[in-house]
Amino acid sequence: MSTTSSFIVKDVTTHFNEFEEEFFNLYRSLYGDIDQLRFKERLYRHANPLVLLAFSEERLVGFKIGYEAEPYRYYSWAGGVHPEFQKHGIGRKLMDTQLEWVKAQGFHSIRTKARNTNKGVIILNLLCGYDIMGAYTEDGAPRIMMEKQLHD
C-alpha cells in the first residue's frame, strides 16, 4: 500500500471480490458495458494476477490490473482513472506501483496495448519508458502495442 497526497493505492488481488461492484461501476463509466464473469475468468486463469485500486478517501477512483502473459513477460491489461480525478498523478502512481511489483517478481518486460483514441494512456506509457512495438486493429479499432524492458 502506498500513499500520495489525497489518494491511496492498494493491492486488493486476494480480496478483489470485496470491491467488485465499485470496480465494475467505474469500469463501465470509463469503457462501457462489460461481461463481469468473463473479465474475472480471464484475470484468474493467468498466473500472477495483480489488482491495484486507487482510492480518494473511501471512493474508488482508479485501477491497474495485469497478469503473467508468459514466463518473464507481464501483461498490463486494464487501467483507468475516473475523469474527475485525472491529471492528479493517480494513473502514474498506479503504473509505478505495478512496475515496482512486476520487477520484484522477476519479470524481464511488461507489455500493454491501448486504443489509438486513448492518447493520454499512450503518452503516459511513453513517459514511463514504454516503446511502441507496433499497431494493429482489434474489433475494428486501431490499437497500439507497447513494451517496457525492465533492467536495473
Side-chain angles (χ1 to χ4, degrees):
M1 177 168 35
S2 55
T3 308
T4 304
S5 61
S6 63
F7 66 92
I8 187 167
V9 172
K10 296 180 183 180
D11 176 350
V12 301
T13 307
T14 59
H15 54 286
F16 177 60
N17 60 321
E18 296 173 26
F19 301 95
E20 281 182 25
E21 184 176 348
E22 283 178 279
F23 167 78
F24 286 117
N25 286 337
L26 176 57
Y27 188 98
R28 276 190 294 277
S29 75
L30 293 171
Y31 302 114
D33 204 16
I34 181 171
D35 182 331
Q36 293 179 211
L37 181 58
R38 188 170 165 213
F39 184 96
K40 291 187 295 185
E41 286 173 348
R42 178 175 175 180
L43 177 63
Y44 291 113
R45 79 170 171 251
H46 291 92
N48 292 309
L50 177 66
V51 179
L52 298 173
L53 300 181
F55 297 88
S56 178
E57 298 178 15
E58 297 297 315
R59 182 178 177 188
L60 176 62
V61 297
F63 60 92
K64 191 78 169 153
I65 299 174
Y67 52 78
E68 182 176 335
E70 55 191 74
Y72 303 107
R73 178 175 291 140
Y74 203 77
Y75 182 63
S76 181
W77 174 34
V81 175
H82 190 284
E84 292 176 26
F85 292 86
Q86 292 175 1
K87 301 195 185 320
H88 296 293
I90 296 171
R92 179 66 184 249
K93 185 62 180 175
L94 285 162
M95 183 177 288
D96 289 347
T97 303
Q98 183 185 59
L99 284 169
E100 288 172 24
W101 185 90
V102 168
K103 284 181 184 178
Q105 301 306 306
F107 289 96
H108 297 172
S109 66
I110 184 167
R111 186 172 279 185
T112 193
K113 65 182 178 181
R115 292 181 176 109
N116 191 49
T117 56
N118 201 340
K119 306 293 191 223
V121 168
I122 294 168
I123 291 167
L124 178 59
N125 284 324
L126 292 171
L127 289 172
C128 289
Y130 281 79
D131 294 312
I132 294 174
M133 305 303 290
Y136 65 98
T137 301
E138 181 179 307
D139 299 327
R143 310 280 175 135
I144 308 297
M145 177 69 68
M146 292 165 277
E147 186 170 285
K148 178 179 176 72
Q149 297 301 312
L150 305 175
H151 308 294
D152 287 332

